[in-house]
Amino acid sequence: TISGTVTDGQTGDPLPGATVQVQELGIGSATDVDGNFEFDIPAGEHIISVSFVGYRPGQKTVTITVGETTGVDFALQPRTETLDEIVVTGQGSGISSRRLSTTTEVVDAEELEAFPVGRIDQALQSQLPNAQIRLNSGQPGTTSLIRSRGPVSASGVTTPVIYVDGVRVDNSSAGTALDIGTGGARSSSIADIPLENIERIEFVKGGAATTLYGSDAANGVLQIFTKDGSAERSQLNFETRLGVETGTRDFLKYERTGDVIYDDALVQSYKLSGSGGVGDINYSFSGKMYENNSARVGNENIRYDLRTKVSASPLDKVRYSGTLAFVNNRFDRAINANSSFSPFSNIEGGQLFSTPDGVGPISDVPASEFGAVRDSLRGLDQIYDNLTEVRRFQTSQQLQINPVSSVTIDASAGVDYRIENNKEILSNELLAELGSSGQSQIADYDREFLGLTLNANVNHEASYKFLDFTTNIGFQVFREEITITRIDATDVPDGNQTVNAGSETTGFDNITEIAQQGYYIKENVGFGDRLFLDLGLRADNNSAFGSDVALQVYPSAGLSYIVSDEPVIAEVLPEDVVSSIKLRGNYGVSGNFPAAFAGDRLINVNAFLGQTSYSFADPGDPNLGPERVTTWEVGGDLGFVNDRFRLGVTYYQAKTEDALFDAPFPSSTGQNNQVRNLGEIENKGFEIAGNFTILNQADYGLTLNASANTLTNEVISNGGTSQFNNGGFTFLGTFVDEGQPIGFLQGGNPIFNDDGTIAEIEQNAVLGDPNPDLFGSMSLQARYKGLSLFASADYQRGAQGVNVDDVLRFFSGVQDEDRFPNPEGLDTPPALAGDATFFDLAGVWVEDTDYLKVRLISLDYRIPASVLPSQLRSLSVGASVTNPLNFTSSSFDPEVSGSENAAGTVAGVFGFGTISPPRQWTLTLNVGL
């Protein structure tokens, strides 16, 4: 017999449930509530191993004598929590991250709630160390770009797939053919995903991690999990946030532009949340009301969120949970970017006003006359009507069955239903103010999304001696239906809000349906709880594939090795220097499916002179399949000084084969463009993330987080087709071509003589790359007793963009200083005295877009429980500021964009008449009962 006790090596506390075993014999026991164990063992010399979640394993060699009890005790040392963190996204069911060869970035509820924002993409900014999140505009509800390992597609979306409690949700960040023109400020389906009642968010990227999600996961997977209640403790929380929003003026050419378009505005939110349980029934809920009067004149945002979750065990070994969420999001848009009556873009574009010297920019208007000018311009924003209302309903129904202890069956079904209505009214009053003789009009746009998801998987765990197996088999079905309708009415009397009041109406609609079914198997084999082999396979069929395309198969394989858990190494490894070492490597394939009907031969049906007419549309491609992104990566996770300093390093290389290019046919064929599997794209780079616990005492602590990600993006092959444009403007667009990065900038490039004249003009020159060479984030957390400070920022380097506002100033004769060389200080730079057009001069408006942006600084204080009345569980107060500081190399905001292609792959490249994310100064009160 062998007996002993397993304890925490730092505190001496017993560890109940620790596993004690003789691996080569396959026998052992678990410790009881006091950390004790005892079991029979054959006589002789044996190696006894002990393991416990969150601790480094122990191992001792003992000699057992017949008829005697041999005593041996173990004191296990705590190890990094990240090795044993349970994640779902990389496996299909909960599994310890130590077993995975891929990395999963996790953001918990506390980190999310630190951000006083109403959008999930804003809350995640600078929170995901290996991803970039950039807002295209500071106006409410607009698109954001979420990208980790570079653009894997030339014409497809770059947004990751998003799941909420296992249900795939609408993640559109691209425009449609029937959009109401908003100058780049397109609506985003991500902006109204409910942020309330979230327990954690997991983000994975790379082929091996996303294989389980198949033909739609090449951009990564973002999975959201909501909170469960607990019968052990009921609680209720009330939180209110009050603050002021101010416009960001950092990138304005004229200070007076801000005086025209900005007013300080009230921001307020009220949130009630709670959780608890009765018997086997647990519940949680959260509801929030949010109002932002908006610093931008003409903007306003009112939003209501509600989410609830109920869990119960109606039968032994059966667990049910259901979630319901509803969002009503309403926002007004101001006139943006490319519009002849946008006060913002017109002022910044060098609009000329009456001045004592004739005409000039707004900065030359006398102070005595500026008030009248400001009121007139603000009036345009105030009588322009562009209102969007989104109503969104989500539900997930999940069932978990444990027929035996080693088998778990999970099944879920859910719906995401989203209706967006956008209405723009150009009234007679507005047209009269503009001096236009045009007709008043209403554009009414509706987009209805219905997504249905069905998942089921079986998870089996088994062990044999020193081997253990985790097997996951499952299938997934989803279906998406999108119906878009637009009605335009002209000659509408002022005061009317409906299109039926117009003298003439024109209607358009568009219907798309996508369905996919996928089957997967994932096997994870552990050798001695320190070496793990990870294998996966997914097979998909998708309705967007061409008629001749067979089932698509996506394999993956990976290996991870916890070197520091190897007993021989653990004994000699100085814990106070190097405390944990994990090595990992993997290979995997995932995909992007084409748009609905992209592979079909289509005919346009049009009205002509009261009759029906026909014309050719897409030629069709029966062999059209998904883009296939093959990724391999190697890396390691290291812990130093008792895991107070942790470092993760990954090198990856991802190659997109069969890339979907919307490339033209030779003009001699007479055929329209057709999306085809033509190209190859390569992304590669390093991902480095560090967590540094500088201080960690009971009363105080200091933690720093930082990341750095390199990126090299290149089109390896264009499949024999010519280069094509995928966004931008006529004079300077973004293009796709072999040997260049996706969306490279191309246009005329002037080369100047020493005297400022033009020596030559290089036509169709490569002028820049919109993709950064380096990006990352950083954050700081400090605490002293109940006081805590948090700050976060992100950055990029090595990308270029275009200052389109300055191009407009060029047409107005208002030149930016130092834009053109002028060594003699002439009134007109020598380059402008010749015959060069602005097409020839395109390169002068391209700038480096390096930036460092501080996203949040917050200070919170939790009142000590000892001074609170017994009725209160907690009480805290806080103050925060969002977007407080911007440091950039460009004269325009390198994050926002007034123009992009439909897929959003060039977002943030064209600085044009678009406000930056505003600053918010907020006070918070949180009361817990």
Side-chain angles (χ1 to χ4, degrees):
T1 300
I2 184 171
S3 67
T5 304
V6 182
T7 59
D8 183 307
Q10 293 186 358
T11 66
D13 295 335
L15 297 178
T19 300
V20 185
Q21 60 181 344
V22 186
Q23 290 185 348
E24 68 269 22
L25 299 179
I27 61 175
S29 176
T31 58
D32 60 20
V33 292
D34 297 317
N36 299 320
F37 66 91
E38 181 177 293
F39 58 92
D40 293 334
I41 184 173
E45 187 175 89
H46 300 284
I47 298 175
I48 311 299
S49 299
V50 179
S51 61
F52 190 68
V53 174
Y55 289 80
R56 299 181 69 189
Q59 182 173 290
K60 291 183 179 181
T61 301
V62 298
T63 300
I64 305 299
T65 304
V66 175
E68 294 183 4
T69 297
T70 302
V72 57
D73 296 330
F74 294 86
L76 302 186
Q77 296 298 321
R79 66 180 173 194
T80 174
E81 295 177 0
T82 56
L83 285 178
D84 290 301
E85 187 172 33
I86 302 299
V87 297
V88 174
T89 310
Q91 177 74 17
S93 61
I95 190 172
S96 172
S97 59
R98 67 188 279 106
R99 304 181 66 95
L100 297 178
S101 62
T102 57
T103 57
T104 301
E105 297 168 10
V106 179
V107 182
D108 61 28
E110 184 177 354
E111 293 170 312
L112 289 170
E113 291 170 358
F115 279 74
V117 295
R119 293 178 49 163
I120 200 164
D121 44 3
Q122 284 181 285
L124 290 174
Q125 271 188 318
S126 74
Q127 299 277 64
L128 301 176
N130 301 131
Q132 265 195 314
I133 300 178
R134 297 185 299 178
L135 301 181
N136 276 17
S137 168
Q139 297 207 54
T142 52
T143 286
S144 61
L145 177 140
I146 304 176
R147 181 186 292 164
S148 56
R149 293 180 169 178
V152 299
S153 177
S155 55
V157 297
T158 63
T159 306
V161 181
I162 300 178
Y163 287 84
V164 178
D165 287 330
V167 176
R168 177 189 166 97
V169 301
D170 187 11
N171 66 337
S172 172
S173 60
T176 72
L178 300 181
D179 265 351
I180 294 174
T182 53
R186 291 191 172 103
S187 295
S188 168
S189 300
I190 302 173
D192 47 69
I193 293 175
L195 187 59
E196 309 312 311
N197 212 40
I198 293 177
E199 178 67 31
R200 58 193 272 119
I201 296 177
E202 296 177 2
F203 177 64
V204 298
K205 70 277 181 191
T210 57
T211 292
L212 290 187
Y213 301 89
S215 299
D216 197 26
N219 294 302
V221 177
L222 195 68
Q223 188 146 209
I224 301 168
F225 302 91
T226 57
K227 293 179 180 179
D228 282 310
S230 172
E232 297 178 359
R233 185 175 189 180
S234 296
Q235 59 184 38
L236 190 67
N237 268 80
F238 173 75
E239 179 185 273
T240 181
R241 282 176 168 161
L242 297 174
V244 175
E245 181 175 283
T246 62
T248 299
R249 299 176 178 236
D250 302 24
F251 306 100
L252 299 180
K253 170 69 174 177
Y254 307 108
E255 180 64 24
R256 282 180 169 178
T257 304
D259 297 336
V260 171
I261 68 170
Y262 289 140
D263 268 338
D264 292 346
L266 173 66
V267 179
Q268 55 183 331
S269 69
Y270 305 92
K271 175 182 173 182
L272 182 66
S273 62
S275 63
V278 179
D280 286 335
I281 301 176
N282 297 334
Y283 64 86
S284 67
F285 67 89
S286 183
K288 183 177 180 179
M289 297 184 294
Y290 173 84
E291 181 181 28
N292 182 354
N293 297 124
S294 187
R296 172 71 166 99
V297 175
N299 282 174
E300 185 180 49
N301 188 195
I302 298 175
R303 174 171 172 156
Y304 304 97
D305 289 5
L306 177 66
R307 197 199 296 268
T308 183
K309 184 174 185 178
V310 177
S311 303
S313 296
L315 298 172
D316 187 32
K317 300 182 179 181
V318 175
R319 187 70 177 170
Y320 160 81
S321 64
T323 64
L324 294 172
F326 176 75
V327 172
N328 185 282
N329 194 22
R330 172 179 171 143
F331 46 86
D332 294 291
R333 290 261 172 83
I335 312 171
N336 197 69
N338 195 13
S339 169
S340 61
F341 52 90
S342 168
F344 180 25
S345 54
N346 285 344
I347 297 171
E348 287 292 290
Q351 179 179 353
L352 301 180
F353 299 87
S354 297
T355 70
D357 298 323
V359 293
I362 199 167
S363 57
D364 294 346
V365 174
S368 59
E369 300 176 16
F370 174 66
V373 172
R374 180 194 60 203
D375 292 344
S376 175
L377 292 170
R378 287 163 71 98
L380 294 176
D381 273 329
Q382 290 166 339
I383 59 180
Y384 172 73
D385 194 351
N386 189 324
L387 175 66
T388 297
E389 184 167 13
V390 176
R391 293 179 296 278
R392 187 168 196 165
F393 171 80
Q394 294 174 356
T395 182
S396 170
Q397 311 301 314
Q398 299 174 302
L399 197 64
Q400 185 179 88
I401 305 172
N402 296 103
V404 294
S405 60
S406 61
V407 176
T408 302
I409 302 172
D410 288 295
S412 65
V415 174
D416 182 32
Y417 183 59
R418 181 179 185 270
I419 300 177
E420 173 189 346
N421 173 253
N422 180 205
K423 183 174 291 188
E424 180 187 54
I425 302 176
L426 304 181
S427 64
N428 289 300
E429 180 186 10
L430 175 64
L431 296 174
E433 185 71 20
L434 293 169
S436 171
S437 59
Q439 290 181 303
S440 59
Q441 53 190 286
I442 293 178
D444 195 327
Y445 169 92
D446 285 282
R447 178 181 182 271
E448 180 179 351
F449 173 94
L450 175 63
L452 307 173
T453 306
L454 178 64
N455 298 293
N457 67 73
V458 179
N459 187 76
H460 178 254
E461 297 181 355
S463 62
Y464 176 73
K465 294 187 177 182
F466 64 91
L467 297 175
D468 60 272
F469 306 87
T470 299
T471 307
N472 195 278
I473 302 175
F475 74 89
Q476 179 196 65
V477 177
F478 71 79
R479 182 181 181 88
E480 297 177 353
E481 300 177 5
I482 302 175
T483 302
I484 298 172
T485 305
R486 174 167 172 168
I487 302 176
D488 289 284
T490 57
D491 197 17
V492 182
D494 285 4
N496 282 278
Q497 302 288 314
T498 58
V499 293
N500 58 2
S503 62
E504 182 177 344
T505 58
T506 308
F508 309 86
D509 64 356
N510 181 277
I511 301 172
T512 60
E513 297 178 0
I514 287 272
Q516 177 168 297
Q517 58 188 33
Y519 309 89
Y520 61 86
I521 181 170
K522 189 85 166 178
E523 180 68 45
N524 189 280
V525 185
F527 301 83
D529 199 36
R530 50 188 176 271
L531 179 64
F532 304 96
L533 176 64
D534 203 20
L535 301 171
L537 190 68
R538 164 98 181 206
D540 276 356
N541 191 16
N542 189 288
S543 61
F545 296 165
S547 57
D548 293 343
V549 175
L551 203 68
Q552 295 293 298
V553 177
Y554 305 96
S556 68
L559 195 68
S560 65
Y561 182 28
I562 315 297
V563 178
S564 53
D565 282 2
E566 193 66 53
V568 175
I569 296 177
E571 289 181 5
V572 299
L573 199 65
E575 178 121 5
D576 57 349
V577 179
V578 180
S579 45
S580 62
I581 304 173
K582 176 182 178 180
L583 302 180
R584 47 185 166 76
N586 59 68
Y587 159 91
V589 183
S590 54
N592 279 322
F593 58 74
F597 314 125
D600 297 329
R601 178 175 296 175
L602 303 177
I603 299 294
N604 287 327
V605 182
N606 308 292
F608 180 72
L609 298 179
Q611 302 292 320
T612 300
S613 66
Y614 301 91
S615 60
F616 291 113
D618 292 349
D621 182 358
N623 295 308
L624 187 68
E627 298 176 307
R628 295 178 61 88
V629 182
T630 301
T631 305
W632 66 264
E633 62 183 71
V634 292
D637 303 299
L638 307 174
F640 304 93
V641 193
N642 296 311
D643 285 331
R644 290 178 60 179
F645 304 138
R646 300 199 299 271
L647 183 68
V649 180
T650 302
Y651 175 78
Y652 70 89
Q653 184 168 324
K655 179 177 287 187
T656 305
E657 298 175 298
D658 297 329
L660 295 169
F661 283 4
D662 188 16
F665 290 98
S667 57
S668 58
T669 67
Q671 296 185 94
N672 292 336
N673 287 15
Q674 167 67 50
V675 174
R676 291 172 282 164
N677 297 109
L678 291 176
E680 283 189 21
I681 304 167
E682 183 179 72
N683 290 279
K684 58 185 177 181
F686 284 92
E687 298 173 332
I688 303 172
N691 174 273
F692 311 98
T693 303
I694 310 300
L695 300 170
N696 188 22
Q697 299 297 321
D699 288 340
Y700 57 88
L702 176 63
T703 301
L704 301 176
N705 294 281
S707 69
N709 306 272
T710 67
L711 172 64
T712 301
N713 169 261
E714 183 182 355
V715 177
I716 303 300
S717 170
N718 62 5
T721 187
S722 58
Q723 72 171 31
F724 60 94
N725 179 284
N726 74 333
F729 296 89
T730 304
F731 80 102
L732 204 166
T734 63
F735 289 83
V736 178
D737 198 7
E738 194 168 292
Q740 298 295 337
I742 292 291
F744 72 93
L745 299 170
Q746 180 175 274
N749 186 39
I751 299 173
F752 299 99
N753 295 313
D754 292 340
D755 62 358
T757 59
I758 296 177
E760 62 176 304
I761 295 173
E762 183 183 1
Q763 298 295 342
N764 297 318
V766 176
L767 301 176
D769 180 358
N771 307 298
D773 299 329
L774 177 71
F775 65 90
S777 61
M778 58 192 73
S779 65
L780 175 149
Q781 293 172 288
R783 58 179 176 83
Y784 177 73
K785 295 185 176 180
L787 189 67
S788 61
L789 171 69
F790 178 78
S792 67
D794 56 55
Y795 65 91
Q796 78 169 23
R797 193 188 72 183
Q800 286 78 45
V802 184
N803 190 333
V804 183
D805 284 329
D806 189 26
V807 177
L808 299 182
R809 290 192 284 271
F810 168 82
F811 286 122
S812 299
V814 180
Q815 306 304 326
D816 277 12
E817 299 81 3
D818 302 322
R819 182 66 68 181
F820 296 91
N822 189 8
E824 301 297 327
L826 303 175
D827 292 338
T828 301
L832 303 184
D835 298 327
T837 69
F838 86 106
F839 288 96
D840 301 322
L841 303 174
V844 303
W845 289 293
V846 176
E847 303 179 20
D848 289 335
T849 54
D850 304 342
Y851 70 76
L852 169 66
K853 290 194 171 189
V854 179
R855 301 296 184 180
L856 174 71
I857 301 175
S858 67
L859 187 65
D860 293 279
Y861 181 65
R862 178 179 286 267
I863 309 298
S866 59
V867 303
L868 296 178
S870 59
Q871 298 88 343
L872 293 184
R873 175 175 50 85
S874 63
L875 179 64
S876 62
V877 294
S880 63
V881 54
T882 56
N883 303 311
L885 298 169
N886 297 304
F887 305 95
T888 68
S889 62
S890 57
S891 57
F892 61 94
D893 190 339
E895 182 177 10
V896 303
S897 180
S899 174
E900 78 262 9
N901 64 353
T905 56
V906 295
V909 181
F910 296 97
F912 176 28
T914 305
I915 65 170
S916 302
R919 294 190 171 104
Q920 287 188 4
W921 312 79
T922 309
L923 297 176
T924 303
L925 173 67
N926 189 293
V927 181
L929 303 175

